[in-house]
Amino acid sequence: MKITFWGAARQVTGSMHVLDLPGGTRVLIDCGLDYENRKEFEAKNERFPFDPESIDLVVLTHAHIDHSGNLPNLIRQGFSGRIVSTAPTLLLSEYLLNDSLNIQRMELAAKEKAIRRKRGMKGKNIRLQPLYAKKHIQDFVDMAVQVDYDQSYVFNEELRLSLHQAGHILGAASVRFEVTHGNVVHRVGFTGDLGNANSKLVPDPHPMEGLDYLVSESTYGGRKHMTDSRRAEEILLDEVTEVCVQQGGKLVIPAFSVGRTQAIIFTLHQLYRQGKLPNIKIITDSPLAIRSTHVYQQHISYLNEEAHEFQRQHGGLFNFPLLHVVEDDRESELMSVIDEPCVIISAAGMVEGGRIQMHVRNNIGNERNRILIAGFCAEGTLGWRLLQGQDFVEINHKSRPVRASIRRTDVFSAHPDHEQMVNYFEQSHASRGLKGLFLVHGDFVQMQKLAGDISFCQVHLPGKGEVFQLN
Ligand SMILES: [Zn+2]
């Protein structure tokens, strides 16, 4: 059996790993978009380094676009096998893939315009195509098989698999493969993205048992979370009190539509039911987040005990009288200039694109307001630039004075930190004894730090396209 690492190899995005089984079955684990360098987006994602028709099975660990985003393109180029995921992952992916297609179309339209401007009549007939069409998203839905956590799924005589709770976001799964060849059975696990301990809504990750090899994410290797997730209510209440009550300002929170937005709204709802939340508008402004929130509410059985208990007591996780859901673009604009203390939660998380840019632009010039960065911001993004502490920041090609305060919190982090990961590996090792650990989905320096703390088995940091024989 061999494994080839085609994505998220010494980088965070573009998860894509191929497992070749001795009997000829070919499995792809995740099929994400590579976002590492926006200028090379098409070149990096258009073609696959293997024949899409040769893949028999795709296992999708979770809905995030850096894990699911290139699957419709794989289908467009001939993949016709089976896709396995949990039920919520399937629903969330459908929404995220449609959103990703819209973003691609908008970006390509802007590119076409620039080309026409540059080439005049010669560029008149230029038409740039997105990676896939809407039809391929529907094909994805039709080809998918839903598998529940901890159930054994038999694919063929040499392969059975099971999905396990990974935390991270609703429906996220780690996958455990059991490969039988003659009298020998190999067991290989892939963590997918793991969740932070004690996160809002999602359970803690469940390590897989009896593995020979483990392929793991390593996003926060070498880093320690500053704030325990159990302090989420306290931290958020402090922010709301300081900004909205004491300063009479607006608290603007950029948040990813799937995962972070639901965790923040749920926490505010908890504060409301405890009678602690001041009487201010909580504005949620992202069409994708609103759709995803419904999927969370529909799949309570996938959420943690705290969410179950809250549901039993209050009959719903997200709806409360102070919550205001923005319907359309026009209302979104009105809400961004509303002249009263409020909380605005909008996407995208790194303040790149989406409606959040307008909210930041319209509120950054007032010293009473605050932008609360609640997630990871890649270098060069607007979120990252805001965190650099400069007096002026460029938004939509215009320099704007930064008068609002800029804060950061990692209390809503959706990944485990260094120590949590080392614990996870130790637990994975304890039941059978790992022969090897492969780290992916992290920067090289972070991976090295994590690898430096593992002494009980061999640790590999595979490069892109690197092949390993698993015996
Ligand atoms: Zn993820």
Side-chain angles (χ1 to χ4, degrees):
M1 181 164 57
K2 67 176 187 185
I3 179 166
T4 315
F5 296 91
W6 283 121
R10 301 183 183 182
Q11 65 175 42
V12 175
T13 68
S15 281
M16 191 163 67
H17 317 297
V18 174
L19 205 53
D20 282 296
L21 309 192
T25 309
R26 200 155 212 223
V27 187
L28 182 66
I29 298 95
D30 286 337
C31 190
L33 286 179
D34 187 327
Y35 276 107
E36 238 45 37
N37 185 342
R38 299 292 295 195
K39 285 195 183 119
E40 294 172 21
F41 179 79
E42 277 84 25
K44 279 190 166 169
N45 293 296
E46 201 157 21
R47 297 262 150 241
F48 292 92
F50 48 82
D51 178 5
E53 281 185 45
S54 69
I55 303 290
D56 301 297
L57 167 70
V58 175
V59 180
L60 181 57
T61 61
H62 67 290
H64 279 153
I65 274 310
D66 62 323
H67 292 256
S68 68
N70 221 4
L71 203 35
N73 186 21
L74 190 81
I75 294 167
R76 182 178 72 83
Q77 295 186 41
F79 165 67
S80 60
R82 214 172 297 166
I83 299 164
V84 162
S85 80
T86 63
T89 291
L90 181 60
L91 272 172
L92 292 172
S93 301
E94 190 186 346
Y95 292 147
L96 276 159
L97 290 169
N98 275 299
D99 184 67
S100 174
L101 178 58
N102 287 340
I103 294 169
Q104 286 177 48
R105 283 181 178 147
M106 277 187 312
E107 288 180 355
L108 291 176
K111 245 184 207 173
E112 281 174 4
K113 219 168 145 187
I115 293 171
R116 274 185 224 122
R117 242 197 330 259
K118 213 164 153 191
R119 298 193 197 161
M121 281 306 280
K122 272 191 215 156
K124 189 167 71 111
N125 295 320
I126 293 274
R127 289 284 174 276
L128 301 172
Q129 295 299 327
L131 294 170
Y132 53 86
K134 224 171 163 68
K135 167 190 180 311
H136 304 111
I137 302 176
Q138 189 53 49
D139 290 345
F140 153 72
V141 175
D142 295 341
M143 289 157 82
V145 177
Q146 298 169 16
V147 174
D148 250 335
Y149 291 132
D150 305 315
Q151 304 292 313
S152 185
Y153 176 79
V154 179
F155 181 70
N156 60 21
E157 61 278 5
E158 69 169 335
L159 176 65
R160 62 171 65 220
L161 64 90
S162 50
L163 302 179
H164 301 269
Q165 179 60 255
H168 191 55
I169 61 165
L170 174 74
S174 302
V175 51
R176 182 182 186 277
F177 294 102
E178 215 170 284
V179 181
T180 307
H181 186 60
N183 296 328
V184 187
V185 182
H186 291 294
R187 298 164 187 90
V188 188
F190 289 77
T191 62
D193 283 4
L194 295 170
N196 192 2
N198 306 302
S199 290
K200 286 292 173 195
L201 299 172
V202 290
D204 285 357
H206 295 180
M208 293 167 278
E209 291 195 346
L211 294 176
D212 300 304
Y213 296 94
L214 177 64
V215 179
S216 175
E217 68 125 315
S218 54
T219 321
Y220 280 91
R223 295 200 186 110
K224 183 173 169 47
H225 289 327
M226 305 295 285
T227 323
D228 191 311
S229 356
R230 280 171 289 205
R231 293 183 59 209
E233 288 151 62
E234 173 200 333
I235 300 284
L236 205 48
L237 183 61
D238 282 354
E239 292 289 339
V240 171
T241 307
E242 198 180 316
V243 177
C244 305
V245 180
Q246 292 166 4
Q247 296 174 191
K250 297 193 232 176
L251 182 63
V252 179
I253 312 179
F256 292 111
S257 302
V258 182
R260 192 103 59 219
T261 296
Q262 289 75 27
I264 292 169
I265 294 176
F266 176 66
T267 309
L268 289 165
H269 190 184
Q270 286 181 305
L271 290 168
Y272 172 79
R273 294 291 173 187
Q274 293 159 15
K276 292 177 180 167
L277 199 62
N279 191 18
I280 54 166
K281 268 200 185 83
I282 308 294
I283 298 161
T284 170
D285 183 18
S286 154
L288 178 61
I290 293 159
R291 278 193 288 271
S292 309
T293 304
H294 287 303
V295 183
Y296 269 70
Q297 184 67 60
Q298 285 162 2
H299 292 83
I300 290 181
S301 65
Y302 287 77
L303 300 178
N304 64 18
E305 194 41 50
E306 184 188 30
H308 289 175
E309 182 55 35
F310 193 87
Q311 172 74 21
R312 275 193 290 274
Q313 275 188 29
H314 305 290
L317 300 176
F318 304 105
N319 273 336
F320 58 109
L322 300 183
L323 185 70
H324 182 89
V325 177
V326 172
E327 300 284 342
D328 51 34
D329 286 349
R330 201 184 61 86
E331 198 192 1
S332 174
E333 265 188 76
L334 279 176
M335 286 298 149
S336 81
V337 292
I338 188 174
D339 192 18
E340 62 181 58
C342 61
V343 177
I344 301 175
I345 307 153
S346 183
M350 301 191 197
V351 207
E352 277 299 293
R355 291 177 177 177
I356 187 65
Q357 278 211 337
M358 175 186 60
H359 294 299
V360 169
R361 190 183 65 215
N362 289 340
N363 291 291
I364 201 165
N366 187 329
E367 67 279 357
R368 287 180 299 149
N369 299 339
R370 175 169 297 166
I371 319 290
L372 181 64
I373 307 278
F376 173 78
C377 290
E379 202 174 319
T381 57
L382 179 52
W384 178 84
R385 285 186 280 130
L386 288 171
L387 287 168
Q388 302 310 300
Q390 288 159 3
D391 294 337
F392 287 85
V393 68
E394 198 182 297
I395 307 175
N396 304 129
H397 310 293
K398 213 174 151 193
S399 178
R400 312 211 176 233
V402 181
R403 297 204 183 96
S405 53
I406 314 289
R407 279 266 182 94
R408 164 180 230 165
T409 176
D410 63 2
V411 78
F412 291 104
S413 174
H415 288 272
D417 67 5
H418 182 94
E419 198 184 314
Q420 290 177 32
M421 266 186 285
V422 172
N423 283 339
Y424 181 97
F425 300 151
E426 280 169 358
Q427 287 182 56
S428 310
H429 180 67
S431 59
R432 185 184 170 88
L434 285 173
K435 289 188 205 167
L437 171 65
F438 298 89
L439 297 182
V440 293
H441 200 287
D443 293 331
F444 192 48
V445 180
Q446 255 61 48
M447 285 179 176
Q448 283 175 313
K449 287 181 184 161
L450 194 52
D453 249 2
I454 308 294
S455 54
F456 49 79
C457 73
Q458 236 190 327
V459 185
H460 307 276
L461 312 179
K464 190 171 181 168
E466 210 171 332
V467 187
F468 289 82
Q469 207 69 40
L470 307 180
N471 297 312

